[in-house]
Amino acid sequence: MHWLLLIIAAIFEIGWPLGFKLSETQPERFWTWISFAIISMTLSGLFLYFAQKTIPVSTAYIIWTGLGAIGTLLIGISFFGDSASLLRMFFAYSCRNCGIGMYKQIKVYFECAPLTIGSPIFVTDTCYIWD
């Protein structure tokens, strides 16, 4: 459930730069798009807040910003004529891989042991071992 909330937060994260761009390209609807951006920011932060109740803050933040960045990149390429150079696609793919790595690492972490603050952590091939 919390991963779904994080994905919803990332979708709203895409909404605020989109609102800013549309306010620039459609000046007659400036305040409509600025309002859209502000509402998107608020909902993005709210859903991120709820997602972090069970997802560690570092993992949630990396995935939230990564999905938001890649989604914004794809919208920019698809609708606003942003560059789709090989180098940009390489870095977007790298960002995607970092998010997948963090997701998989946290799945291993939760399957092995609960986190206790102040415990030293040692990593083996499959699990964290607590001292």
Side-chain angles (χ1 to χ4, degrees):
M1 176 63 178
H2 288 95
W3 289 102
L4 178 62
L5 294 176
L6 187 59
I7 291 169
I8 293 168
I11 291 168
F12 283 115
E13 181 71 2
I14 296 166
W16 68 266
L18 177 62
F20 287 154
K21 181 66 176 178
L22 291 171
S23 73
E24 175 192 333
T25 60
Q26 299 176 11
E28 68 281 356
R29 298 188 67 203
F30 177 82
W31 289 110
T32 301
W33 291 119
I34 291 297
S35 299
F36 176 80
I38 292 169
I39 291 168
S40 291
M41 282 183 219
T42 304
L43 291 173
S44 178
L46 185 66
F47 280 102
L48 176 63
Y49 167 78
F50 288 122
Q52 290 178 5
K53 293 206 181 261
T54 60
I55 302 170
V57 65
S58 58
T59 302
Y61 186 75
I62 288 170
I63 292 175
W64 176 63
T65 56
L67 289 174
I70 290 172
T72 304
L73 172 78
L74 294 175
I75 287 174
I77 290 169
S78 300
F79 300 106
F80 298 106
D82 291 358
S83 169
S85 70
L86 184 60
L87 200 53
R88 286 186 78 181
M89 294 300 103
F90 169 76
F91 287 120
Y93 187 74
S94 297
C95 184
R96 172 194 154 279
N97 288 343
C98 289
I100 290 171
M102 290 298 290
Y103 172 78
K104 290 192 178 287
Q105 183 60 39
I106 204 63
K107 295 288 272 184
V108 168
Y109 159 77
F110 276 122
E111 290 169 2
C112 295
L115 175 63
T116 56
I117 295 177
S119 297
I121 302 171
F122 298 94
V123 180
T124 67
D125 289 340
T126 57
C127 261
Y128 287 104
I129 298 174
W130 306 93
D131 238 4

